[in-house]
Amino acid sequence: MSNYRFIVRKAAVLGAGVMGAQIAAHLVNANIETLLFELPTEESGDPSALATKAIEKLKKLEPAPLSVASKAACIQPANYDQHLGLLTDCDLVIEAIAERMDWKTDLYTKVAPHLGPHTIFASNTSGLSINQLAQAFPEESRHHFCGIHFFNPPRYMHLVEMIPCKESDAGILDNLEAFLVTYLGKGVIRAKDTPNFIANRVGVFSMLAIMHHAKEFGLGFDLVDKLTGPLIGRPKSATFRTADIVGLDILAYVINTMHKALSDDPWHRYYVIPNWLQTLIDQGALGQKSGKGVYRKVNKEIQVLDLATNTYHLSESTLDSEVESLLKQKNPVEKFAALRLSEHPQAQFLWAIHRDLFHYCAFHLSSIADNARDLDLAIRWGFGWNQGPFEIWQTAGWNQITAWINEDIAAGKSMSNIPLPAWVQEVGQNAAPEVHTAQGSYAPANHAMQPRSTLPVYRRQAFPDHLAGEERVYGETIFETDAIRMWHTGDEIAIVSFKSKMHTIDIEVLNGLQRAIEEAERHWRALVIWQTEPPFSVGANLQKATEKPKSEEPPSAFDQFVKKVKKTAQSTILQAARSLDLADALMAGKLAEVETLITRFQQLSQHLRYCMIPTVAAVDGLALGGGCEFVMHCDRTVATLESYIGLVEAGVGLLPAGGGCKELALRAARNAIDDDPFPQLKHYFQTVAMAQLGKSAEEAKKLGYLLPADPIIMNRFELLYAAKTQALALAQSGYRPPLMPRGIPVVGSTGIATLKGTLVNMLEGHFISEHDYLIASKIAYVMCGGDLTPGSLVDEEWFLKLERKAFIELLATEKTQARIAHTLKTGKPLRN
């Protein structure tokens, strides 16, 4: 098997429910031809109607499971009566039907004769025994069977748990892991065949512990959610909102699975569905999917269930100010000491839920995971926590936390009186009591530090998702300023990373990047712009804020994901305003400084395009405004699928002025059909005037921000590898910069008149305001090349001058200033 390369040309998903359909969607996101099977029906004369409906529904879901809605056409609906023969040609078949052992094994018996000899068959079960499921296959076929458990939503959640059965072939598992990592972009954790595996086992216990202690301390649902969200490094959905999102019936199913299968567990008595939860389920209040659960939405109000009155009302609970203050302490050792010592019920609650979580994870580590790293990453990737349980314990002081847990166990305060396992004390006796170190993470099987996987696929991850205690050194510095760092990893490619907050672009970043380009031209074969953490860049910071930024609790990974996928105009506008940071620059006396900075920005964009070495933008997360313009001027962009790219300046009353309008006008001229650039230009105009944001790298291509040749990758931890590969390929191909175009045909006055005609109709129909009309008219004027005769030839500098002039004119208007100030102050758009 060592020389075998696993290639997935075609896949099938069995089961078109929520998970099955969305797994199919993510397979086609990765350009894999996919069949989606469901039970046959006589509805509408189409036996595959159930699968067809599920595929259609994918186009409407938010957050979108498809990178672009048109990819739904790449999923072929199928049914078990007519199409089982098609499974023979599938390289991978994923079963995702309901969590019933009998239903699954019946299906396996039915499809097994139709699988090809090379086909890997995997179950997406969230907790059923993989070894028991394997018994439904002939013994000679079981080496091709395993579990691969995706988390919901499959496109966005990084975790996939891989669970082998006893007969699973080791080589097949290695190849499947490589496929999941690179082609589906997942973080793979190998779990043992225990009920609910790793993430759900620990995550659901944490929820049960929170429910238990909430009752003990008399805390309401909404107060608990305030306490167990971002303040402790978890998603905004916290505990009970998360239960509503997942589905209260699904949560109850997982709890029941633990209750039935874990009778010997010291915490078994807590694996019980609370009475209030069962009552809600009996009433059909299943959470978000049924319209109400722990919470419900009435018009725009979010109401919470009051168990005392069995009614819903607006949240009235408040955090204790002292507890909130101590939670914001940056030093985790001091924070946990304060929680432990505080007599306030909210603080005692927080200490109790962490204490019991640590206790539970320590006791069960050896039975559910190979090492502490796998458990921590499973929780981070599957539940969206900033840190896993062992990371939190380690950073809070291993020995002190251990002593406090032992005291509480002895005093009968813990949910279980079973002692901590001996390995906890052994770790505490080390010179540096840590479960995560530069050498690896603690593995209970051999009481040693286990290094990360050595599978070849992980050579593509120079800087994988790192844990507390691991060392991370980003190469060797070439030069460094307060704004940027230029560095390398021992090869011929130079890398530049921004140091500004959210990687905004100010004069210091521009000067640093200019120096980096000049250095790269002299001594390096290519230059890659890559940030050590997302976002790529939220755009131009035209004036540094003079006041010290407020201390904020870092958002959780899941909250960052939610923020990225928001598609509303409000979120796009707010990001535009924040990226521009124009509050101080609104004074008329500073407009000249702004124009100087814009000129400098344009020069830098042009230098990226025409320098003597290839430039590659490595994009992950947000690339807005000026960040998007940098992307558009590099020779190549390599973007993760979850890149959100756009020229969003129109949302706050401005237009792109770092070369973005120029670049789209140039692309329209190059892509002109029958020498008429207007149809393409009209598309680009609508994109800019409506501040459209590409909500995936695929959408960014459709909008014109990325080029057809720009690669899209699935795994953000492989981004730097892919970008450097592209850069080196360009360099080794005898790279020369493109010739500067001297004759760009404009659509001129005719194009302006046509676009304004559309805008007039929108204005008269009250779809846009007068200021909206002014903004869009200036965008039209710039992109059409000004009031020239159609077909007139201009150069790039002509467009850049038009950009600068229009930007300053808009910035000088009171209404644009009001929009920016209002959005920065309230976080909401102003339509004036």
Side-chain angles (χ1 to χ4, degrees), residues 494 496 526-530 536 608 613-619 631 634-638 711 719 722-728 730:
V496 64
L527 180 67
V528 171
I529 304 175
W530 177 78
F536 177 77
L608 279 173
I613 44 94
T615 57
V616 176
V619 179
V631 167
C634 286
D635 294 296
R636 187 80 78 245
T637 296
V638 181
L719 177 60
K724 290 175 68 177
T725 299
Q726 288 287 318
L728 189 59
L730 288 170

Side-chain angles (χ1 to χ4, degrees), residues 201-375:
R201 178 74 175 273
V202 174
V204 172
F205 170 80
S206 177
M207 295 178 76
L208 288 171
I210 288 170
M211 293 175 189
H212 168 75
H213 289 297
K215 182 179 179 181
E216 292 289 306
F217 287 99
L219 307 181
F221 295 130
D222 50 341
L223 178 55
V224 169
D225 277 353
K226 290 176 182 177
L227 287 166
T228 59
L231 282 172
I232 61 169
R234 300 186 189 180
K236 285 183 179 179
S237 56
T239 302
F240 294 107
R241 286 187 187 275
T242 295
D244 271 358
I245 292 168
V246 170
L248 301 185
D249 54 335
I250 302 299
L251 175 60
Y253 173 82
V254 177
I255 294 171
N256 265 332
T257 300
M258 295 170 74
H259 181 79
K260 293 175 182 177
L262 298 169
S263 58
D264 295 333
D265 192 301
W267 285 265
H268 180 261
R269 67 182 181 279
Y270 298 103
Y271 302 155
V272 178
I273 301 169
N275 291 334
W276 62 264
L277 177 55
Q278 189 60 59
T279 299
L280 286 174
I281 294 170
D282 293 342
Q283 293 172 350
L286 305 180
Q288 186 171 280
K289 60 188 174 185
S290 66
K292 68 175 182 178
V294 176
Y295 295 89
R296 73 175 183 182
K297 188 173 183 179
V298 179
N299 297 322
K300 294 184 178 180
E301 292 182 352
I302 303 296
Q303 300 179 346
V304 62
L305 179 65
D306 184 340
L307 286 180
T309 62
N310 199 32
T311 59
Y312 290 87
H313 58 76
L314 289 176
S315 174
E316 299 173 350
S317 62
T318 57
L319 293 180
D320 177 76
S321 58
E322 291 186 10
V323 172
E324 185 174 8
S325 177
L326 71 87
L327 285 174
K328 291 182 178 180
Q329 292 186 41
K330 296 300 181 184
N331 186 317
V333 175
E334 295 176 1
K335 181 188 301 185
F336 272 83
L339 285 174
R340 165 76 173 173
L341 294 173
S342 174
E343 295 182 359
H344 196 284
Q346 294 178 16
Q348 292 175 359
F349 163 79
L350 288 168
W351 161 250
I353 66 171
H354 282 95
R355 173 200 64 214
D356 290 321
L357 174 66
F358 298 156
H359 188 185
Y360 187 86
C361 290
F363 181 83
H364 286 296
L365 175 62
S366 61
S367 63
I368 65 174
D370 288 334
N371 54 65
R373 176 180 54 250
D374 286 353
L375 189 148

Side-chain angles (χ1 to χ4, degrees), residues 16 45 106 157-158 162 236 300 349-350 392 412 433 454 463 469 509 585 646 666-667 703 707 717 730 782 805 807:
D106 285 349
M157 299 309 290
H158 192 57
M162 178 186 287
K236 285 183 179 179
K300 294 184 178 180
F349 163 79
L350 288 168
I392 300 169
T454 58
F463 306 103
V509 170
L666 180 58
R667 292 180 184 186
L703 293 173
L707 296 172
F717 297 107
L730 288 170
V782 172
K805 183 174 184 294
F807 186 95

Side-chain angles (χ1 to χ4, degrees), residues 794-812:
V794 300
D795 59 13
E796 289 180 289
E797 181 56 32
W798 175 266
F799 282 103
L800 295 175
K801 288 179 180 178
L802 294 179
E803 282 185 1
R804 293 195 298 271
K805 183 174 184 294
F807 186 95
I808 295 300
E809 288 173 349
L810 286 172
L811 185 57

Side-chain angles (χ1 to χ4, degrees), residues 381-432:
W381 295 343
F383 279 76
W385 295 12
N386 284 347
Q387 289 187 311
F390 290 120
E391 283 185 286
I392 300 169
W393 187 347
Q394 177 170 311
T395 57
W398 186 266
N399 285 337
Q400 182 62 82
I401 294 292
T402 300
W404 287 335
I405 294 173
N406 283 329
E407 288 177 16
D408 282 6
I409 293 172
K413 295 180 180 180
S414 179
M415 291 171 68
S416 172
N417 60 5
I418 196 163
L420 284 170
W423 72 262
V424 173
Q425 314 295 338
E426 293 172 8
V427 167
Q429 293 170 7
N430 295 334

Side-chain angles (χ1 to χ4, degrees), residues 60 62 90 177 223 381 465 491 497 541 552 585 630:
K60 304 172 184 177
E62 289 296 337
C90 292
E177 181 169 350
L223 178 55
W381 295 343
D465 205 355
D491 52 26
S497 303
N541 181 359
E552 297 178 351
F630 275 175

Side-chain angles (χ1 to χ4, degrees), residues 454-738:
T454 58
L455 286 179
V457 67
Y458 294 110
R459 296 172 194 162
R460 300 165 62 92
Q461 298 185 17
F463 306 103
D465 205 355
H466 104 295
L467 296 154
E470 291 183 325
E471 293 181 359
R472 174 166 285 192
V473 179
Y474 291 102
E476 183 176 337
T477 300
I478 300 169
F479 77 84
E480 187 170 6
T481 70
D482 290 340
I484 74 157
R485 176 174 178 255
M486 187 180 185
W487 52 287
H488 69 92
T489 58
D491 52 26
E492 301 174 295
I493 309 299
I495 304 160
V496 64
S497 303
F498 301 170
K499 296 167 63 177
S500 53
K501 184 177 181 180
M502 299 292 284
H503 305 131
T504 53
I505 303 163
D506 58 21
I507 190 64
E508 293 179 2
V509 170
L510 293 175
N511 290 338
L513 189 53
Q514 177 67 33
R515 178 181 168 187
I517 294 172
E518 293 169 355
E519 168 71 19
E521 285 182 307
R522 288 192 296 268
H523 302 296
W524 303 87
R525 298 199 65 185
L527 180 67
V528 171
I529 304 175
W530 177 78
Q531 314 298 4
T532 57
E533 296 290 341
F536 177 77
S537 172
V538 296
N541 181 359
L542 298 184
Q543 180 76 23
K544 278 190 173 181
T546 57
E547 62 181 5
K548 187 176 180 180
K550 294 180 180 179
S551 177
E552 297 178 351
E553 196 72 17
S556 73
F558 187 81
D559 291 332
Q560 291 174 16
F561 143 65
V562 171
K563 189 175 183 180
K564 288 192 293 184
V565 301
K566 279 184 178 177
K567 62 177 292 185
T568 62
Q570 176 176 327
S571 65
T572 301
I573 291 169
L574 178 58
Q575 288 289 3
R578 285 177 174 165
S579 70
L580 291 165
D581 198 9
L582 290 169
D584 291 336
L586 294 179
M587 294 183 298
K590 291 194 174 183
L591 290 179
E593 295 179 25
V594 174
E595 185 169 11
T596 299
L597 179 56
I598 293 171
T599 301
R600 188 80 180 88
F601 199 118
Q602 291 178 338
Q603 292 170 346
L604 196 282
S605 294
Q606 291 294 89
H607 200 176
L608 279 173
R609 168 61 49 81
Y610 295 112
C611 65
M612 297 306 295
I613 44 94
T615 57
V616 176
V619 179
D620 180 42
L622 295 168
L624 302 182
C628 177
E629 287 170 310
F630 275 175
V631 167
M632 295 170 71
H633 283 84
C634 286
D635 294 296
R636 187 80 78 245
T637 296
V638 181
T640 64
L641 184 71
E642 301 312 323
S643 295
Y644 304 84
I645 303 172
L647 298 173
V648 296
E649 290 87 345
V652 285
L654 295 166
L655 55 72
C661 291
K662 176 269 300 180
E663 188 61 24
L664 290 175
L666 180 58
R667 292 180 184 186
R670 286 174 176 166
N671 298 332
I673 299 174
D674 297 328
D675 296 323
D676 182 10
F678 183 74
Q680 188 66 52
L681 187 75
K682 181 180 179 182
H683 166 69
Y684 291 149
F685 163 77
Q686 291 171 340
T687 296
V688 176
M690 296 175 65
Q692 287 186 296
L693 179 68
K695 292 176 286 295
S696 70
E698 293 277 10
E699 266 198 26
K701 280 193 177 185
K702 289 185 66 176
L703 293 173
Y705 299 132
L706 298 182
L707 296 172
D710 289 334
I712 297 173
I713 70 165
M714 303 297 281
N715 195 317
R716 62 176 292 254
F717 297 107
E718 295 184 351
L719 177 60
L720 182 59
Y721 171 88
K724 290 175 68 177
T725 299
Q726 288 287 318
L728 189 59
L730 288 170
Q732 291 179 335
S733 300
Y735 175 83
R736 293 288 299 178

